Amino acid sequence: MSRGNNVVVFGAGAVGRGFIGELFSDAGWRVTFVDADPELVAVLRSGSYPHDTVASAGTVRKYVTGCTAVPAQDQAAVRRAVSEADAVFTSVGARNLPRVAPALAAGLADRAAVDGGPMDVYLAENLHEGAKLVRGLLSTELGTLGAEAATVLANVGVVECSIGRMIPVPTESQRREHPALVAVEPYRKLPFDVAACRAPVPDVPELLGNPELDFAFFTERKLYVHNQGHCATAYLGARAGHCEIAPAISDPDILEQVRAAMHAPARALARKYGQPQEELIAHAEDLLARFANTALHDTVERVGRDPERKLQPGERFLGALRLCNQWDDPRPLLPGIALGLEQQAAQGGGSAAVAAVLADVESISPGLAAALVELRGGSPRGTSQR
């Protein structure tokens, strides 16, 4: 592989192909995917794959070109690709980061051994404190290799990103049409933590770094406005009998509740970070319009799954509740939390799980737990009494 505008992308899934691969290919970069799926690796080695941008008005198909792939099982090939790359992205999910760390660390060590210059590893994971986790994994693996971890990592930036593009999991019919076909919404912005970079930022127009703004602003905006509003739409939609997000958010009653639940953290973030409130509100309104994209066919089941995780402290609901309690009105968040508890109860969550959430809510603001119990029909137990 020749040097110059080569990006290695760990994970050829929906985000890897649908977002990272497209942005870098469009900017003239060579894209090398690393994936464990033999069929996917084989088709990506052809050099291109179909990419659909879908909107309610129609679909635009293009082919992402200039790509190849190496199997994740071929550690030597992955190691070589990393050592020769100009940038690396991971898009594998938090659970799989320990699996990619050995080859990633080995490639970075090889690069350092020949004084290959600084390298940035971008995390397209939406993972809280992902940089800290990945630095720890790399340090451990470098020690195993006998490399001086501090020396290697001094030239490595671990850069968190905020993935805001909505990309549903490909359907069976899409996979039958082409194993690498991916469909995405038109939104293409990729905020990243520019302060963490060690190497020059890739010349990719959609990469957005603001050195004057704490990157926590972007991660909190994604989690507390986007993810929270999306999930609230799913829970309210499921209760109303909707199967997909677009018809759910088109229901006026649901739209009104979700808008209130998104505007509150938007106002809170504007106050916390000193940003223009009208821009945060406009961002929330843009998201509401994007949720209504009928061509995405995103399901309320997918968006709302795993309510137990989504009701953890600091997560989309309770994190937004704490933010709003400090900077705005937290009450618009309560309907989503109440319905999340119903979802959790329906999946076998008992009274202990409900009590834990109520305790968290009460610790955020005394009296809010009573309001949440009243909203749920007056029952603190694991099953709603509506």
Side-chain angles (χ1 to χ4, degrees), residues 254-286:
I254 294 175
L255 175 61
E256 180 181 0
Q257 292 185 73
V258 174
R259 174 175 279 130
M262 293 173 70
H263 279 199
R267 291 190 299 266
L269 286 170
R271 291 164 183 151
K272 179 179 178 179
Y273 289 98
Q275 296 301 298
Q277 180 172 297
E278 59 272 18
E279 291 184 10
L280 272 295
I281 295 298
H283 178 71
E285 287 297 313
D286 179 62

Side-chain angles (χ1 to χ4, degrees), residues 204-265:
V204 176
E206 293 81 6
L207 289 181
L208 305 178
N210 185 344
E212 298 179 357
L213 183 58
D214 188 335
F215 189 68
F217 166 80
F218 294 101
T219 59
E220 291 180 17
R221 187 183 70 173
K222 174 61 167 54
L223 192 60
Y224 301 150
V225 180
H226 185 160
N227 291 141
Q228 180 268 136
H230 210 201
C231 196
T233 303
Y235 291 157
L236 288 160
R239 185 181 64 172
H242 298 290
C243 295
E244 294 185 351
I245 293 294
I249 202 63
S250 299
D251 182 320
D253 291 336
I254 294 175
L255 175 61
E256 180 181 0
Q257 292 185 73
V258 174
R259 174 175 279 130
M262 293 173 70
H263 279 199

Side-chain angles (χ1 to χ4, degrees), residues 10 34 71-83 97-110 138 141 145:
F10 282 87
V34 177
Q73 298 86 341
D74 188 345
Q75 295 284 288
V78 177
R79 178 174 184 166
R80 185 169 58 254
V82 169
S83 71
L97 284 170
R99 297 180 184 178
V100 307
L104 177 56
L108 293 172
D110 290 347
L138 292 175
E141 294 297 335
L145 292 167

Side-chain angles (χ1 to χ4, degrees), residues 8 16 33 44 46 70 101 136 166 168-169 201-202 226 232 248 252 255 268 298 325 337:
V8 170
F33 292 103
L44 290 172
S46 71
V70 296
M166 290 183 284
V169 176
V201 174
H226 185 160
L255 175 61
D298 213 355
N325 187 65
I337 297 172

